[in-house]
Amino acid sequence: MEDLANKYNLNFVGSIHKPIDLKDFDHIFTLVCKNKLPELKSETQQLKIYEIIRALENDDIEVFYQPQVKLRNRKLVGVEALCRLRHPSLGLISPDKFIDKSEETDLIFHLTLNVIDKAFTDWVAWYNQGIDITLSINISPYVLKFSEFTDLFLTKVAELNIPKNKICLEVTESIIEDNHEVELEALSRLAIQGVLLSLDDFGTGSASIERLHRLPFDELKLDKSFFQHSVTNRTQYDLIKSCVAMSNALDMHVVAEGIETAEHWKVAEQTGCDIVQGYYICKPIEASNISQWCYQWKHRVD
Ligand code: C2E
Ligand code: CA
Ligand code: CA
C-alpha cells in the first residue's frame, strides 16, 4: 500500500502494522491532522505553450537515443528515440515537462513529426556506418487521431528507403482500452505495412490481458517499476516471469526497461526477457555518440 500511495503521489504520512495498537493509531492520526496538503511538485510543472512553439520554430528539439541490447549475445539491436527541449535560459528540458502540455493542442503532432524527421536522418547515418539497428519512436495516442499521420509517416519511411521492419512504434497500454478505435485503426494500418509495434510501460496501467490481441504487437516493454524491487521482492520476480510467459505465448518478445544494476540485468536474464535497456547499459546519448558507445560496449568487461 505504501508503494501504491507513493506511486499516485498521495500525501503519505506513515503506516501501521497489524494487529493495530491503539497508541500507533493515535500517533498516525495526529500526524495526519498535522500534515499539510502537498505543494505542486516543481519537477512535474509543465512548460508554457509558447515555449514549446518557440522551440519548434527555433529548431530547439533534440533527440537522444538509448541503446537496447540483446541479452543472449550482448549485441546492440536497437535504440529508443527520446526527445529533449533546448530552453534558452533553463537548458536541456526532459520530455516529462512538455509532452503533456503538447498533448493539449496540435503541438504534439508537430513535435512528433520533428522527432521522426531527426530520428530517420540519424538512422540513415548509422546505417551508412554499418550500424544496422531498430529505431523505436514514442507515439502519443493523440498523434494517431490525426488522419494524415499514417500516410505522412509511410511517405517519410519510403523517401529515405528505410525498411519498415526497422522502425518500431511504442504506444502505452491505454491504447488497448475502450474508445480508441481510430487510434487502433491507424496502428493496424501501419502494422499491415510491416512497421513494428511495441506496448510501452506495461504494468503501469489497467490493460487487461484479454485485450492484448486487439493489435499485433511485436514487443512488450516491461515498465521499470518491475525491476526496481525485483531483487528483494519474490512477488515482483514471479510477476516478471508470468509476463514473459504470456508475451511469448502471444508471440511477442520482451524488453526490460530501467535496468540500473548488474542485479537487475541478472533478473532480466533469469526471468527470460529478450532485450534490456537502462542506465546500467547506457543513458540516453546523442546520435553522434552511438558508434563510440558501440566500441566501448564491445570491450566492456563486468
Ligand atoms: P518512456 O518511453 O518510458 O522512456 C523511458 C524513460 O526512462 C526515459 O525518460 C529514459 O531516460 C528513462 N530511463 C532509461 N533508463 C532508465 C533507468 O535505468 N532508470 C530510470 N529510472 N529511468 C530510465 P525520458 O527520456 O525523460 O522520457 C520520459 C518519457 O517521455 C518517455 O518515457 C516517453 O513516454 C516520453 N517521451 C520521450 N520522447 C518522446 C517523444 O518523442 N514523443 C512522445 N510522445 N513521448 C516521448
Ligand atoms: Ca517508450
Ligand atoms: Ca517505457
Side-chain angles (χ1 to χ4, degrees):
M1 291 312 288
E2 188 172 331
D3 284 347
L4 205 63
N6 286 326
K7 199 170 153 187
Y8 283 97
N9 277 334
L10 299 184
N11 194 14
F12 183 78
V13 289
S15 57
I16 17 181
H17 295 270
K18 283 202 262 182
I20 293 171
D21 183 276
L22 270 183
K23 259 193 265 137
D24 288 346
F25 183 79
D26 194 49
H27 173 66
I28 222 104
F29 201 71
T30 318
L31 280 179
V32 170
C33 295
K34 274 191 198 155
N35 219 272
K36 282 194 271 157
L37 281 172
E39 304 203 341
L40 189 65
K41 280 189 185 159
S42 64
E43 35 316 345
T44 53
Q45 213 142 46
Q46 296 283 299
L47 290 180
K48 302 276 184 292
I49 292 273
Y50 80 85
E51 292 174 301
I52 306 170
I53 295 174
R54 181 179 59 194
L56 279 165
E57 282 178 353
N58 294 350
D59 199 20
D60 282 338
I61 301 295
E62 296 182 16
V63 187
F64 279 51
Y65 300 91
Q66 191 173 35
Q68 299 177 326
V69 166
K70 195 161 219 155
L71 268 169
R72 188 164 43 82
N73 53 17
R74 291 174 63 95
K75 279 209 172 120
L76 174 73
V77 285
V79 289
E80 177 178 3
L82 295 158
C83 67
R84 277 98 183 82
L85 186 150
R86 176 78 57 188
H87 193 279
S89 53
L90 304 172
L92 209 57
I93 307 281
S94 88
D96 290 335
K97 296 202 178 110
F98 60 88
I99 293 289
D100 287 355
K101 198 75 192 169
S102 306
E103 287 176 341
E104 290 174 10
T105 65
D106 290 6
L107 278 177
I108 189 64
F109 180 66
H110 300 290
L111 185 83
T112 305
L113 291 182
N114 192 295
V115 170
I116 289 172
D117 281 339
K118 286 178 174 145
F120 280 8
T121 308
D122 289 333
W123 187 91
V124 172
W126 291 320
Y127 186 77
N128 291 336
Q129 290 171 54
I131 302 172
D132 185 7
I133 50 178
T134 304
L135 172 68
S136 293
I137 296 176
N138 291 288
I139 301 291
S140 152
Y142 295 94
V143 170
L144 299 168
K145 278 199 196 327
F146 287 81
S147 54
E148 61 268 50
F149 177 74
T150 314
D151 286 337
L152 259 174
F153 180 86
L154 291 170
T155 308
K156 284 177 194 290
V157 177
E159 271 169 9
L160 289 171
N161 248 333
I162 305 177
K164 293 190 199 98
N165 66 355
K166 288 290 169 183
I167 308 288
C168 180
L169 301 183
E170 296 193 5
V171 289
T172 51
E173 59 181 330
S174 65
I175 202 88
I176 50 174
E177 288 161 16
D178 278 339
N179 308 321
H180 282 298
E181 303 315 325
V182 175
E183 296 90 317
L184 287 176
E185 193 191 323
L187 283 175
S188 302
R189 272 191 65 203
L190 289 161
I192 289 167
Q193 290 291 322
V195 175
L196 305 175
L197 299 183
S198 173
L199 192 59
D200 201 3
D201 300 342
F202 186 79
T204 57
S206 53
S208 75
I209 292 167
E210 168 264 321
R211 295 194 171 185
L212 279 180
H213 70 269
R214 295 182 91 185
L215 264 182
F217 287 105
D218 302 277
E219 173 181 287
L220 186 135
K221 288 189 96 169
L222 275 182
D223 189 66
K224 42 184 169 277
S225 55
F226 277 104
F227 294 88
Q228 261 142 28
H229 305 289
S230 62
V231 182
T232 48
N233 189 331
R234 183 75 210 181
T235 316
Q236 289 293 99
Y237 186 95
D238 290 339
L239 265 175
I240 300 173
K241 266 179 113 167
S242 319
C243 290
V244 171
M246 175 200 71
S247 306
N248 291 343
L250 292 169
D251 245 354
M252 293 188 271
H253 64 259
V254 177
V255 178
E257 274 195 292
I259 299 301
E260 292 181 351
T261 61
E263 284 76 29
H264 291 166
W265 173 295
K266 214 179 278 166
V267 170
E269 204 166 30
Q270 288 169 350
T271 50
C273 297
D274 302 285
I275 292 167
V276 280
Q277 179 183 347
Y279 296 160
Y280 179 66
I281 298 118
C282 183
K283 289 203 166 174
I285 52 176
E286 287 171 57
S288 55
N289 290 333
I290 286 286
S291 73
Q292 193 197 353
W293 176 84
C294 279
Y295 179 81
Q296 286 167 349
W297 177 250
K298 260 187 215 151
H299 296 87
R300 176 168 149 180
V301 274
D302 45 16

